[in-house]
Amino acid sequence: MSAAGLTVSSTRRGSPLPTIAALVVAVLAVSSSAPLIKFAAAPALAVAFWRNGLAALALTPVTVGPRRAELRDVLRGTHRRDGMFCVLAGIALAAHFASWMPSVQLGTVATATALVATQPVWQGLIAAAQGRRPTVAGWVGIALAVAGAAWATGVDVGVSGKAVAADVLALLGGMFAAAYTALGERARVRLTTTTYTWICYGTCALLLLVVCLAARLPLGGYNTGTWAAILALVAGAQLLGHSMFNYALHRTSATTVSVLILLEVPGAALLAWVWLGQAPNAAALPGLALLLAGVAVVVLGAGLRRDRRDATASLADAADPSPR
């Protein structure tokens, strides 16, 4: 963790201990996502539907209660354009889950989690397409991440076609997560996080439900362990993990949070190894390390550029944790 980031913030807002605790909880929560998906004895798309549908349901009392005036503005008032971006973000989120979650079940937790962590790389390329050119460090990081991804995927070519398909799906998951974040950035200019999240998760769940019904995937009849895994995904990665990161973003730099999110990769790999007996592919580890180093350079380069441009600007949307 960046000590500087916490020192500046703690001087302004009090003890850093609650922020440290929140970050520890958040990293542990998101690290559990891929192992839980791997453990669940249910179709990946069905698990994705339940985790988004139940999360939206959990947010409903707040959205239709304290936030009902804002929701009314989204539906038929001044925020209808923002509502459109919420829906588009939900579509991108559905595409993210529809690609990344199957990649976890097809391949290894370590590789799938590392490849989807390329989200900041795609975020940087989206920014470049919008006219916001990455820094030199950003381009160096992108090159390192691409080289690392190529290394890891090249190793899987010799393993099986299923492993390569898992890698491609995980990379697509990172791309769609970047699109989700970019659209969410537009939606959250005027909307609260609760309203935005409720519409986004609800849209995502509805789309996944249609896909599951069309494909005739079973939405029930799972064993107790699978239902427990789904509920743990909702409470952990979907709600608690992202909530704790959002809490920390008010008290430390978004660059610090973004780098800490990368701890999900070794955390998930360790959990999969200890809990599921899934040892990482040793030949792919150098490539995964190179990939993570590249992503860290991208995040740090973007953070330093924004800090120079406006030291008081919020980077919450740029560092919004991917919903995996």
Side-chain angles (χ1 to χ4, degrees), residues 161-245:
K162 188 171 78 169
V164 175
D167 292 348
V168 172
L169 286 172
L171 285 170
L172 287 173
M175 294 177 189
F176 287 125
Y180 153 77
T181 304
L183 290 164
E185 183 178 9
R186 298 291 299 273
R188 291 178 62 190
V189 170
R190 292 188 296 176
L191 296 183
T192 62
T193 301
T194 302
T195 300
Y196 159 70
T197 303
W198 183 78
I199 297 172
C200 182
Y201 286 179
T203 301
C204 177
L206 183 60
L207 286 174
L208 290 171
L209 176 60
V210 171
V211 173
C212 288
L213 292 176
R216 298 185 178 180
L217 298 177
L219 295 174
Y222 312 140
N223 59 41
T224 303
T226 296
W227 281 118
I230 291 172
L231 291 176
L233 280 168
V234 174
Q238 197 77 5
L239 293 175
L240 181 61
H242 296 165
S243 297
M244 291 297 99
F245 277 129

Side-chain angles (χ1 to χ4, degrees), residues 271-285:
L271 281 174
W273 193 357
V274 173
W275 180 29
L276 303 176
Q278 188 182 76
N281 187 341
L285 290 179

Side-chain angles (χ1 to χ4, degrees), residues 103-121:
S103 78
V104 176
Q105 293 189 339
L106 287 172
T108 65
V109 166
T111 302
T113 309
L115 289 174
V116 81
T118 56
Q119 176 191 344
V121 171

Side-chain angles (χ1 to χ4, degrees), residues 129-153:
Q130 295 173 334
R132 293 177 287 164
R133 296 179 60 187
T135 61
V136 173
W139 285 119
V140 170
I142 288 171
L144 290 174
V146 170
W151 181 323
T153 304

Side-chain angles (χ1 to χ4, degrees), residues 1-73:
M1 178 185 301
S2 169
L6 284 181
T7 302
V8 173
S9 253
S10 59
T11 301
R12 186 169 62 245
R13 293 185 174 90
S15 172
L17 292 179
T19 302
I20 294 172
L23 289 169
V24 170
V25 170
V27 170
L28 290 175
V30 297
S31 295
S32 69
S33 178
L36 285 169
I37 293 167
K38 190 77 175 180
F39 172 80
L45 293 181
V47 175
F49 158 70
W50 281 115
R51 70 180 283 181
N52 282 274
L54 292 175
L57 183 64
L59 294 170
T60 298
V62 178
T63 308
V64 301
R67 302 295 182 194
R68 63 181 178 274
E70 183 179 51
L71 181 61
R72 186 166 53 246
D73 286 339

